[in-house]
Coordinates of all heavy atoms in Angstrom, one line a residue:
L769 N 105.2 118.0 58.1 CA 106.2 118.1 59.2 C 106.4 116.7 59.7 O 105.3 116.1 60.2 CB 105.7 119.1 60.2 CG 106.6 119.3 61.4 CD1 107.9 120.0 61.1 CD2 105.9 120.2 62.4
F770 N 107.6 116.2 59.8 CA 107.8 114.9 60.4 C 108.6 115.1 61.8 O 109.6 115.9 61.9 CB 108.7 114.1 59.5 CG 109.1 112.8 60.1 CD1 108.2 111.7 60.0 CD2 110.4 112.6 60.5 CE1 108.6 110.5 60.6 CE2 110.7 111.3 61.1 CZ 109.8 110.3 61.1
R771 N 108.1 114.4 62.8 CA 108.8 114.6 64.1 C 109.0 113.1 64.6 O 108.2 112.2 64.4 CB 107.9 115.3 65.1 CG 107.7 116.7 64.8 CD 106.9 117.4 65.8 NE 106.6 118.7 65.3 CZ 106.5 119.8 66.1 NH1 106.6 119.7 67.4 NH2 106.3 121.0 65.6
S772 N 110.1 113.0 65.3 CA 110.4 111.7 65.9 C 111.0 112.0 67.3 O 111.4 113.1 67.5 CB 111.4 110.9 65.1 OG 112.6 111.6 65.0
G773 N 110.8 111.1 68.2 CA 111.4 111.3 69.5 C 111.2 110.1 70.4 O 110.9 109.0 70.0
L774 N 111.5 110.3 71.6 CA 111.5 109.2 72.6 C 110.6 109.7 73.7 O 110.6 110.8 74.2 CB 112.9 109.1 73.1 CG 113.0 108.1 74.3 CD1 112.7 106.7 73.9 CD2 114.5 108.1 74.9
A775 N 109.7 108.8 74.1 CA 108.8 109.0 75.2 C 108.6 107.7 76.0 O 108.3 106.7 75.3 CB 107.4 109.6 74.8
I776 N 108.8 107.8 77.2 CA 108.7 106.6 78.1 C 107.8 106.9 79.3 O 107.9 108.0 79.9 CB 110.1 106.1 78.7 CG1 111.0 105.8 77.4 CG2 109.9 105.0 79.5 CD1 112.5 105.6 77.9
G777 N 106.9 106.0 79.6 CA 106.0 106.2 80.8 C 106.4 105.2 81.8 O 106.6 104.0 81.5
V778 N 106.6 105.8 83.0 CA 106.9 104.9 84.2 C 105.8 105.0 85.1 O 105.6 106.0 85.8 CB 108.3 105.4 84.8 CG1 108.6 104.6 86.0 CG2 109.4 105.4 83.8
E779 N 105.1 103.9 85.3 CA 104.0 103.9 86.3 C 104.5 103.6 87.7 O 105.2 102.7 87.9 CB 103.0 102.7 85.8 CG 101.7 102.8 86.7 CD 100.7 101.7 86.2 OE1 101.0 101.0 85.3 OE2 99.7 101.7 86.8
V780 N 104.0 104.5 88.6 CA 104.4 104.3 90.0 C 103.1 104.1 90.8 O 102.0 104.1 90.3 CB 105.1 105.6 90.6 CG1 106.5 105.7 89.8 CG2 104.3 106.8 90.3
Q781 N 103.2 103.9 92.1 CA 102.1 103.4 92.9 C 101.0 104.3 93.1 O 99.8 103.9 93.2 CB 102.7 102.9 94.3 CG 103.4 104.0 94.9 CD 104.5 103.6 95.8 OE1 105.2 102.6 95.5 NE2 104.9 104.2 96.8
S782 N 101.2 105.6 93.1 CA 100.1 106.6 93.3 C 100.4 107.9 92.7 O 101.5 108.2 92.5 CB 99.8 106.7 94.8 OG 100.9 107.4 95.4
A783 N 99.4 108.7 92.6 CA 99.6 110.1 92.1 C 100.3 110.9 93.1 O 101.2 111.7 92.7 CB 98.2 110.7 91.9
D784 N 100.1 110.7 94.3 CA 100.9 111.5 95.4 C 102.4 111.1 95.3 O 103.2 112.0 95.3 CB 100.4 111.2 96.8 CG 101.1 112.0 97.9 OD1 101.1 113.2 97.7 OD2 101.6 111.3 98.8
Y785 N 102.7 109.8 95.1 CA 104.1 109.4 95.0 C 104.7 110.0 93.7 O 105.8 110.5 93.7 CB 104.2 107.9 95.0 CG 105.6 107.4 94.9 CD1 106.4 107.5 96.0 CD2 106.2 106.8 93.8 CE1 107.7 107.0 96.0 CE2 107.4 106.3 93.7 CZ 108.2 106.4 94.8 OH 109.5 105.9 94.8
A786 N 103.9 110.0 92.6 CA 104.5 110.6 91.3 C 104.8 112.0 91.5 O 105.8 112.5 91.1 CB 103.4 110.4 90.2
K787 N 104.0 112.8 92.2 CA 104.2 114.3 92.4 C 105.4 114.4 93.3 O 106.3 115.3 93.0 CB 103.0 114.9 93.1 CG 101.8 115.0 92.2 CD 100.7 115.5 92.9 CE 99.4 115.4 92.1 NZ 98.1 115.8 92.8
R788 N 105.6 113.6 94.3 CA 106.8 113.6 95.1 C 108.1 113.3 94.4 O 109.1 114.1 94.5 CB 106.7 112.7 96.4 CG 105.7 113.2 97.4 CD 105.8 112.5 98.7 NE 106.0 111.0 98.5 CZ 105.1 110.2 98.9 NH1 104.0 110.5 99.4 NH2 105.4 108.8 98.8
V789 N 108.0 112.4 93.5 CA 109.2 112.1 92.6 C 109.5 113.3 91.7 O 110.7 113.6 91.6 CB 108.9 110.7 91.8 CG1 110.0 110.6 90.7 CG2 108.8 109.6 92.6
V790 N 108.5 113.8 91.1 CA 108.7 115.0 90.2 C 109.4 116.1 91.0 O 110.4 116.7 90.5 CB 107.4 115.5 89.6 CG1 107.6 116.8 88.8 CG2 106.9 114.4 88.6
L791 N 109.0 116.4 92.1 CA 109.5 117.5 93.0 C 110.9 117.1 93.5 O 111.8 118.1 93.4 CB 108.6 117.8 94.2 CG 107.2 118.4 93.9 CD1 106.4 118.6 95.2 CD2 107.5 119.8 93.2
A792 N 111.1 115.9 93.8 CA 112.5 115.5 94.2 C 113.5 115.7 93.0 O 114.6 116.1 93.3 CB 112.5 114.1 94.8
L793 N 113.0 115.2 91.9 CA 113.9 115.4 90.7 C 114.2 116.8 90.4 O 115.3 117.2 90.0 CB 113.3 114.6 89.5 CG 113.3 113.1 89.6 CD1 112.5 112.5 88.4 CD2 114.7 112.6 89.5
R794 N 113.1 117.6 90.5 CA 113.3 119.1 90.2 C 114.4 119.7 91.2 O 115.3 120.5 90.7 CB 112.0 119.8 90.4 CG 112.1 121.2 90.0 CD 110.8 121.9 90.1 NE 109.9 121.3 89.1 CZ 108.6 121.3 89.2 NH1 108.0 121.8 90.2 NH2 107.8 120.8 88.2
G795 N 114.4 119.2 92.4 CA 115.4 119.6 93.4 C 116.8 119.2 93.0 O 117.8 119.8 93.4
Q796 N 116.9 118.1 92.2 CA 118.2 117.6 91.7 C 118.6 118.2 90.4 O 119.6 117.8 89.8 CB 118.2 116.1 91.6 CG 117.9 115.5 93.0 CD 119.2 115.7 93.9 OE1 120.3 115.7 93.5 NE2 118.9 115.9 95.2
G797 N 117.8 119.1 89.8 CA 118.0 119.7 88.5 C 117.5 118.9 87.3 O 117.9 119.3 86.2
I798 N 116.6 117.9 87.6 CA 116.1 117.1 86.5 C 114.6 117.5 86.4 O 113.8 117.4 87.3 CB 116.2 115.6 86.8 CG1 117.6 115.2 87.1 CG2 115.6 114.8 85.6 CD1 118.6 115.3 85.9
L799 N 114.2 118.0 85.2 CA 112.8 118.4 85.0 C 112.0 117.4 84.3 O 112.4 116.8 83.3 CB 112.8 119.7 84.2 CG 113.5 120.9 84.8 CD1 113.4 122.2 83.8 CD2 112.9 121.3 86.2
L800 N 110.8 117.1 84.8 CA 109.9 116.2 84.3 C 108.5 117.0 84.0 O 108.3 117.9 84.8 CB 109.6 115.0 85.1 CG 110.6 113.9 85.2 CD1 110.0 112.7 86.0 CD2 111.0 113.3 83.9
N801 N 107.8 116.5 83.0 CA 106.4 117.0 83.0 C 105.6 116.5 84.2 O 106.0 115.6 84.9 CB 105.7 116.4 81.7 CG 106.5 117.0 80.4 OD1 107.0 118.1 80.4 ND2 106.5 116.1 79.5
S802 N 104.5 117.1 84.3 CA 103.6 116.7 85.5 C 103.2 115.3 85.2 O 103.1 114.8 84.0 CB 102.3 117.6 85.5 OG 102.7 118.9 85.8
P803 N 102.9 114.5 86.2 CA 102.4 113.1 86.0 C 101.2 113.0 85.1 O 100.3 114.0 85.2 CB 102.1 112.6 87.4 CG 102.9 113.5 88.3 CD 103.0 114.9 87.6
I804 N 101.1 112.0 84.3 CA 100.0 111.8 83.4 C 99.2 110.5 83.8 O 99.5 109.9 84.7 CB 100.5 111.8 82.0 CG1 101.4 110.6 81.8 CG2 101.1 113.1 81.5 CD1 101.8 110.4 80.3
G805 N 98.2 110.2 83.0 CA 97.4 109.0 83.1 C 96.2 109.2 83.9 O 96.0 110.3 84.5
R806 N 95.3 108.3 83.8 CA 93.9 108.5 84.4 C 94.1 108.7 85.9 O 93.4 109.6 86.5 CB 93.1 107.2 84.3 CG 92.5 107.2 82.9 CD 91.5 106.0 82.8 NE 90.7 106.1 81.6 CZ 89.7 105.3 81.4 NH1 89.4 104.4 82.2 NH2 89.1 105.4 80.2
A807 N 95.0 108.0 86.5 CA 95.2 108.2 88.0 C 96.3 109.1 88.3 O 96.5 109.3 89.5 CB 95.5 106.7 88.6
G808 N 96.9 109.7 87.3 CA 97.9 110.7 87.6 C 99.2 110.0 88.2 O 100.0 110.7 88.9
N809 N 99.4 108.8 87.9 CA 100.5 108.1 88.5 C 101.6 107.6 87.5 O 102.3 106.6 87.7 CB 100.0 106.9 89.3 CG 99.4 105.8 88.5 OD1 98.8 106.1 87.5 ND2 99.5 104.6 88.9
V810 N 101.6 108.2 86.3 CA 102.6 107.9 85.3 C 103.5 109.0 85.1 O 103.2 110.2 84.9 CB 101.9 107.5 84.0 CG1 103.0 107.2 82.9 CG2 100.9 106.4 84.2
L811 N 104.9 108.8 85.3 CA 105.9 109.8 85.0 C 106.2 109.7 83.5 O 106.5 108.6 83.0 CB 107.2 109.4 85.8 CG 107.0 109.3 87.4 CD1 108.3 108.8 87.9 CD2 106.6 110.7 87.9
R812 N 106.2 110.7 82.9 CA 106.4 110.9 81.4 C 107.8 111.4 81.2 O 108.2 112.5 81.5 CB 105.5 111.7 80.7 CG 105.6 111.8 79.2 CD 104.6 112.6 78.6 NE 104.8 112.7 77.2 CZ 105.2 113.8 76.6 NH1 105.5 114.9 77.3 NH2 105.4 113.8 75.3
L813 N 108.7 110.5 80.6 CA 110.1 110.9 80.3 C 110.1 111.2 78.8 O 109.8 110.3 78.0 CB 111.1 109.8 80.7 CG 110.9 109.2 82.1 CD1 111.9 108.1 82.3 CD2 111.2 110.3 83.1
A814 N 110.4 112.4 78.4 CA 110.6 112.7 77.1 C 111.8 113.5 76.7 O 111.8 114.8 76.6 CB 109.3 113.5 76.7
P815 N 113.0 112.9 76.8 CA 114.3 113.6 76.6 C 114.4 114.1 75.1 O 113.9 113.5 74.2 CB 115.3 112.6 77.0 CG 114.6 111.3 76.6 CD 113.2 111.5 76.9
A816 N 115.2 115.1 75.0 CA 115.6 115.6 73.7 C 116.4 114.6 73.0 O 117.3 114.0 73.7 CB 116.3 117.0 73.8
L817 N 116.2 114.4 71.7 CA 117.0 113.4 71.0 C 118.5 113.9 70.9 O 119.4 113.1 70.6 CB 116.5 113.3 69.6 CG 115.2 112.5 69.5 CD1 114.7 112.4 68.1 CD2 115.3 111.1 70.1
T818 N 118.8 115.2 71.2 CA 120.2 115.7 71.1 C 120.8 115.7 72.5 O 121.9 116.1 72.6 CB 120.1 117.1 70.6 OG1 119.3 117.9 71.5 CG2 119.6 117.2 69.2
M819 N 120.2 115.1 73.4 CA 120.8 115.0 74.8 C 122.1 114.1 74.8 O 122.1 113.0 74.3 CB 119.8 114.3 75.8 CG 120.3 114.2 77.2 SD 119.2 113.3 78.3 CE 118.1 114.6 78.7
P820 N 123.1 114.7 75.4 CA 124.4 113.9 75.4 C 124.2 112.7 76.3 O 123.5 112.7 77.2 CB 125.4 114.9 76.0 CG 124.8 116.2 75.9 CD 123.4 116.0 75.9
P821 N 124.8 111.6 75.9 CA 124.8 110.3 76.7 C 125.0 110.5 78.2 O 124.5 109.9 79.0 CB 125.7 109.3 76.0 CG 125.9 109.9 74.6 CD 125.7 111.3 74.7
E822 N 126.1 111.3 78.5 CA 126.4 111.6 79.9 C 125.3 112.2 80.6 O 125.1 111.8 81.8 CB 127.7 112.5 79.9 CG 128.9 111.9 79.2 CD 128.9 112.2 77.7 OE1 128.1 113.1 77.2 OE2 129.6 111.4 77.0
L823 N 124.6 113.1 80.1 CA 123.5 113.7 80.7 C 122.3 112.7 80.9 O 121.6 112.7 82.0 CB 123.0 115.0 80.0 CG 121.9 115.8 80.6 CD1 122.3 116.3 82.0 CD2 121.6 117.0 79.7
A824 N 122.1 111.9 79.9 CA 121.0 110.9 80.0 C 121.3 110.0 81.1 O 120.4 109.6 82.0 CB 120.9 110.2 78.7
A825 N 122.7 109.5 81.2 CA 123.0 108.7 82.3 C 122.8 109.2 83.6 O 122.3 108.6 84.6 CB 124.5 108.2 82.1
R826 N 123.2 110.6 83.8 CA 123.0 111.2 85.1 C 121.5 111.4 85.4 O 121.1 111.1 86.6 CB 123.6 112.7 84.9 CG 123.4 113.5 86.2 CD 123.9 114.9 86.1 NE 123.4 115.7 87.2 CZ 122.4 116.6 87.1 NH1 121.9 116.8 85.9 NH2 122.0 117.3 88.1
A827 N 120.7 111.6 84.5 CA 119.3 111.7 84.7 C 118.7 110.4 85.2 O 117.9 110.3 86.1 CB 118.5 112.2 83.4
L828 N 119.1 109.3 84.5 CA 118.6 108.0 84.9 C 119.1 107.5 86.3 O 118.4 106.9 87.1 CB 119.0 106.9 83.9 CG 118.2 107.1 82.5 CD1 118.7 106.1 81.5 CD2 116.6 106.9 82.8
D829 N 120.4 107.9 86.6 CA 120.9 107.5 87.9 C 120.2 108.3 89.0 O 119.9 107.8 90.0 CB 122.4 107.9 87.9 CG 123.2 107.0 87.2 OD1 122.8 105.9 86.8 OD2 124.4 107.4 86.9
T830 N 119.8 109.6 88.7 CA 119.1 110.4 89.7 C 117.7 109.8 89.9 O 117.2 109.8 91.1 CB 119.1 111.9 89.2 OG1 120.4 112.3 89.0 CG2 118.4 112.8 90.3
L831 N 117.1 109.5 88.7 CA 115.7 108.9 88.9 C 115.7 107.6 89.7 O 114.9 107.5 90.5 CB 115.1 108.7 87.4 CG 113.8 107.9 87.3 CD1 112.7 108.8 88.1 CD2 113.4 107.6 86.0
E832 N 116.7 106.8 89.4 CA 116.8 105.5 90.2 C 117.0 105.8 91.7 O 116.4 105.2 92.6 CB 117.9 104.8 89.7 CG 118.1 103.4 90.3 CD 119.2 102.6 89.8 OE1 120.2 103.2 89.1 OE2 119.2 101.3 90.0
A833 N 117.8 106.8 92.0 CA 118.0 107.1 93.4 C 116.8 107.6 94.0 O 116.5 107.3 95.3 CB 119.2 108.2 93.5
V834 N 116.0 108.4 93.4 CA 114.8 109.0 93.9 C 113.7 108.0 94.1 O 112.9 108.0 95.1 CB 114.3 110.3 93.0 CG1 112.9 110.7 93.4 CG2 115.3 111.4 93.1
L835 N 113.6 107.1 93.2 CA 112.5 106.1 93.2 C 112.8 105.1 94.4 O 112.0 104.6 95.0 CB 112.4 105.2 91.9 CG 111.8 106.0 90.7 CD1 112.0 105.1 89.4 CD2 110.4 106.4 90.9

């Protein structure tokens, strides 16, 4: 079985801040996995490869506004 995909980690200042970002994005309709990393301060972005470019742009704009 061969799988390929995209995964990006965005390190933020603290685990508490990461959790607040995830909740704020959820409120805007953007779902992220729970923060990862030893300190719990890494946002893991793993979009579907079939995501339309317009939706990806909206998600990134929303992430930028929340951060």
Side-chain angles (χ1 to χ4, degrees):
L769 180 64
F770 177 78
R771 294 180 186 217
S772 62
L774 172 67
I776 301 169
V778 179
E779 186 176 2
V780 295
Q781 58 215 26
S782 69
D784 183 56
Y785 184 72
K787 289 175 189 173
R788 289 194 317 248
V789 169
V790 169
L791 291 175
L793 288 172
R794 186 174 296 154
Q796 297 291 323
I798 307 295
L799 299 178
L800 286 185
N801 295 325
S802 297
I804 61 172
R806 281 187 173 185
N809 66 330
V810 178
L811 302 172
R812 182 174 178 256
L813 310 174
L817 291 177
T818 58
M819 177 185 280
E822 300 81 20
L823 184 56
R826 177 180 166 258
L828 290 175
D829 289 344
T830 306
L831 175 62
E832 183 179 21
V834 168
L835 289 175

